[in-house]
Amino acid sequence: MNYYIKLIIFLSIIIFIYFLILLFQYIKTDFLYYLYQKRKLPKHIEEILLKEFPLYKKIPKILRKRLIACILVFIKNKEFIGKGVVIDDRKKILIAANACILTIGHNRCEYKNVKTIYIYPDTIFKKENIQNGWIVTQQNEILLGEAWQGGEVVISWKDLVLGDKNPNDGKNVGIHEFAHQLDFADFVADGTPELPPKLYPKWTKIMKKEFKKLKELYKKHKKGFLDYYAINSEAEFFAVATEAFFEKPINLKKSEPNLYNILKEYYKLDPATWV
């Protein structure tokens, strides 16, 4: 009998600690986000966004306050580490803006699993081992950014700025890497972020069909509706499609309405209507 009592007490303590962790996480993210929306937001953030983040000018005013509130929470909770660059408020704000614009439709804090952002000055060269049978060779891989399932994001500052300055080309390394982090929220890199239960069947059907269609287009040496990089995996397809959704929404909606509409349903945003 004593054994069962001890087991119940032990499990009760574990459950209590778990709920304490959830409460702490809620207070430092969602509750803080709610408080920031009620306050007068710092003007210097909007000045930087107006000057260097053109997508900010496009989004409706009701979403601007959400974006800035999310940026403030993001900056407060994440660690920014410079790898050859000096970290300042401007860098933090612009990186956070790329992350938070994906979540303003949800009107809550996302990226709870994201811990650290590593910022490099320029394109990143990474050595990768390539195995062919018994032979292993090293190859330099050129990266603009990278997202890790452990909660880390690697960003080339130069390429992030270039991507932000041209918000109409469908290429944005910040949006791309943070789309991966949304995908990782369920701890699986499969191109499917956390969804409302009723949306999963529809999402799976449409995304599989669109991914297959894009691969077949490139197999026939025809131009696809998304960049070639999207055919590498379902995870890359989702990230590249997200770039197009925010930066080329009208074109995506015209060429692939089903893909646009499922992303619209997930993000709860309609960028094709933004002026």
Side-chain angles (χ1 to χ4, degrees):
M1 188 66 179
N2 288 336
Y3 169 79
Y4 290 108
I5 291 172
K6 288 178 181 179
L7 181 61
I8 290 168
I9 292 171
F10 175 75
L11 291 174
S12 299
I13 292 170
I14 295 295
I15 293 168
F16 179 71
I17 292 170
Y18 173 72
F19 279 105
L20 277 181
I21 292 170
L22 289 181
L23 179 62
F24 175 72
Q25 193 175 59
Y26 169 77
I27 290 171
K28 75 173 190 174
T29 54
D30 295 288
F31 182 66
L32 191 60
Y33 169 74
Y34 171 79
L35 288 180
Y36 279 136
Q37 286 195 75
K38 298 296 179 183
R39 295 178 184 176
K40 188 176 180 180
L41 298 170
K43 286 186 177 180
H44 76 283
I45 293 182
E46 185 166 49
E47 288 170 0
I48 290 171
L49 295 176
L50 286 169
K51 185 179 178 182
E52 301 190 56
F53 192 65
L55 277 175
Y56 181 75
K57 297 176 184 177
K58 292 185 176 185
I59 65 176
K61 286 187 177 181
I62 192 172
L63 297 177
R64 292 183 182 184
K65 196 163 189 177
R66 292 185 189 179
L67 180 64
I68 294 176
C70 182
I71 288 170
L72 288 166
V73 175
F74 191 94
I75 289 172
K76 191 173 183 66
N77 287 310
K78 312 306 176 191
E79 182 182 20
F80 295 80
I81 297 176
K83 295 289 187 176
V85 298
V86 176
I87 301 298
D88 54 25
D89 283 348
R90 173 173 161 261
K91 290 184 178 68
K92 290 180 181 180
I93 289 165
L94 291 176
I95 289 169
N98 280 273
C100 292
I101 197 166
L102 304 186
T103 68
I104 52 177
H106 296 167
N107 197 21
R108 67 175 184 269
C109 279
E110 303 284 1
Y111 309 113
K112 291 180 174 66
N113 296 322
V114 175
K115 302 177 183 71
T116 310
I117 296 93
Y118 296 95
I119 308 164
Y120 287 78
D122 208 330
T123 305
I124 305 145
F125 293 90
K126 177 184 174 184
K127 289 189 181 294
E128 186 176 12
N129 291 329
I130 307 296
Q131 186 163 357
N132 185 7
W134 294 100
I135 301 171
V136 178
T137 57
Q138 275 198 333
Q139 179 178 308
N140 280 330
E141 187 179 2
I142 301 172
L143 299 172
L144 308 184
E146 195 171 32
W148 303 340
Q149 283 184 273
E152 291 79 26
V153 176
V154 179
I155 291 286
S156 158
W157 176 247
K158 176 185 174 182
D159 291 295
L160 180 126
V161 171
L162 288 173
D164 285 348
K165 282 184 177 178
N166 187 349
N168 304 307
D169 63 352
K171 296 180 180 180
N172 186 299
V173 64
I175 287 176
H176 184 102
E177 300 308 336
F178 284 104
H180 279 313
Q181 287 296 341
L182 291 177
D183 181 15
F184 297 161
D186 59 358
F187 305 104
V188 184
D190 59 357
T192 302
E194 284 187 326
L195 302 168
K198 65 179 181 180
L199 189 57
Y200 275 103
K202 185 178 177 182
W203 175 279
T204 303
K205 180 181 178 182
I206 291 173
M207 296 300 273
K208 279 187 175 181
K209 182 180 178 182
E210 297 294 329
F211 181 52
K212 182 181 178 182
K213 183 165 68 174
L214 185 66
K215 287 200 294 185
E216 288 174 351
L217 281 172
Y218 278 112
K219 191 175 181 181
K220 295 174 184 176
H221 304 287
K222 294 181 180 180
K223 183 173 175 57
F225 51 91
L226 295 178
D227 187 83
Y228 179 80
Y229 192 68
I231 69 171
N232 281 317
S233 66
E234 289 88 347
E236 295 301 344
F237 179 79
F238 169 62
V240 174
T242 295
E243 290 179 85
F245 179 74
F246 281 93
E247 291 210 334
K248 298 173 71 176
I250 295 173
N251 290 343
L252 184 64
K253 187 175 183 178
K254 285 181 179 178
S255 63
E256 300 301 324
N258 289 333
L259 177 58
Y260 180 87
N261 287 329
I262 195 67
L263 290 171
K264 173 184 169 183
E265 199 168 345
Y266 165 61
Y267 284 113
K268 297 183 180 178
L269 296 168
D270 192 3
T273 64
W274 297 350
V275 179

